[in-house]
Amino acid sequence: MIRIGALISGTGSNLEAVRQACEAGEIDGKIVFAGADKPSAKGLAKAEKAGVPTFEVDYASIIKTFKTSFEKFSLPPDFDINQVVAKSRLFEGGVPTDEEIDFFRIRAAAEAGLLSHMAAYSFDLLILAGFMRKLTPYFIDRVNTDPAVPRIMNIHPALLPSFPGTDGYGDTWRYGCKVGGCTVHFVDYGEDTGPIIGQKAFPITPSDTLETVKEKGLHLEWQLYPECIRLFAEGRLKVTTRPYGRAAGESRERRVVNIS
Ligand code: GRF
């Protein structure tokens, strides 16, 4: 049985779908904690009601402390800005701006808070279920202790690599796509760029609205996420690399997921 930790920011309907799939035996797993980046995340109450231990790290108050009372702000002692900047692909390369440096420092403080709560639990997989914060290498490296075995999954409301970011279904809709979808992927140092585990698509018809597109997408997410987590629980996911160069002579590699 795998132990699954979860991070959420909102209603937690994906977390609930995964929890129910565990309860129904569709996944040989158990949710061992649910954390949030804000005390008001509605999904926390749902998780508590189901007996799942919860915690929250108030990102907004950490950001406020950094900006308004810096003397009270503290960085984790093991934070190395050079290492984080060198690894992260959240921003364009080159010399980081002061704003980007501040972003990494604030995130490290918040992520250290998450990690200290998570340290109380043993877990095999961490799922981001509507967790709306970008994770930095500071956090990712402390969860993915073996880089060859990623164990952080995310669900995204679009058919990646199209429409990364915070509003996948909205971007899909506004772009006038005729097909929408959702994607489950392992988290890497970029934003929604990690190796893809599973995707599901749905048609967008003339009678659809932004709301019906979101509804269709969410219903598919509740199927896709448990399926992908079941594959992880069965040890059937292997990350390998594949040549990805576009231009002649360009030798880039991309990490992809093979399902056995
Ligand atoms: C989902 O559409 C997910 O893809 C996106 O945020 C939404 C969260 O839904 N990242 P919920 O909190 O799981 O209900």
Side-chain angles (χ1 to χ4, degrees):
M1 175 185 276
I2 61 163
R3 297 154 300 182
I4 306 165
L7 294 179
I8 67 171
S9 296
T11 53
S13 69
N14 275 288
L15 170 57
E16 184 56 15
V18 172
R19 194 190 64 74
Q20 288 179 7
C22 291
E23 220 160 70
E26 289 156 27
I27 300 171
D28 185 12
K30 184 176 189 297
I31 307 282
V32 292
F33 67 75
D37 64 327
K38 55 171 85 75
S40 59
K42 292 200 178 59
L44 287 179
K46 231 185 269 175
E48 273 155 21
K49 218 159 143 226
V52 174
T54 65
F55 59 81
E56 80 262 350
V57 172
D58 192 347
Y59 273 58
S61 83
I62 292 171
I63 294 167
K64 190 161 173 246
T65 304
F66 181 87
K67 293 191 170 152
T68 61
S69 36
F70 189 72
E71 68 289 351
K72 293 192 193 120
F73 176 81
S74 62
L75 274 172
D78 57 352
F79 175 64
D80 176 341
I81 184 68
N82 298 319
Q83 195 189 63
V84 166
V85 166
K87 286 185 173 179
S88 179
R89 296 210 313 280
L90 290 176
F91 301 107
E92 295 304 317
V95 180
T97 63
D98 292 349
E99 218 180 20
E100 290 165 5
I101 298 279
D102 289 351
F103 170 88
F104 287 123
R105 297 165 85 189
I106 293 168
R107 286 307 156 101
E111 291 169 356
L114 291 174
L115 291 163
S116 74
H117 282 288
M118 291 160 57
Y121 309 92
S122 301
F123 61 96
D124 306 291
L125 174 67
L126 179 69
I127 60 168
L128 309 183
F131 184 68
M132 304 307 279
R133 301 283 177 176
K134 296 175 193 158
L135 293 173
T136 76
Y138 176 81
F139 181 91
I140 295 166
D141 290 352
R142 282 161 181 74
V143 175
N144 286 344
T145 42
D146 176 354
V149 185
R151 53 185 201 133
I152 309 175
M153 271 188 202
N154 180 41
I155 188 152
H156 182 77
L159 292 171
L160 292 170
S162 301
F163 310 122
T166 56
D167 188 12
Y169 293 135
D171 294 340
T172 303
W173 164 257
R174 284 184 290 274
Y175 197 91
C177 294
K178 302 302 178 251
V179 172
C182 52
T183 303
V184 171
H185 62 93
F186 282 120
V187 170
D188 68 359
Y189 296 142
E191 184 180 14
D192 303 324
T193 54
I196 293 173
I197 301 165
Q199 296 183 295
K200 283 186 187 287
F202 58 89
I204 299 177
T205 65
S207 61
D208 270 314
T209 63
L210 177 53
E211 283 327 303
T212 59
V213 162
K214 285 183 178 171
E215 243 172 72
K216 284 181 178 180
L218 213 45
H219 278 81
L220 279 188
E221 290 182 30
W222 301 338
Q223 296 168 28
L224 178 65
Y225 222 170
E227 286 171 15
C228 293
I229 295 168
R230 179 173 53 76
L231 292 170
F232 182 95
E234 293 169 355
R236 295 172 54 193
L237 302 178
K238 191 166 173 14
V239 176
T240 60
T241 56
R242 198 174 282 171
Y244 179 60
R246 292 213 190 103
E250 188 192 354
S251 62
R252 272 200 292 162
E253 289 203 324
R254 178 160 173 80
R255 298 173 77 207
V256 298
V257 176
N258 290 330
I259 299 172
S260 57

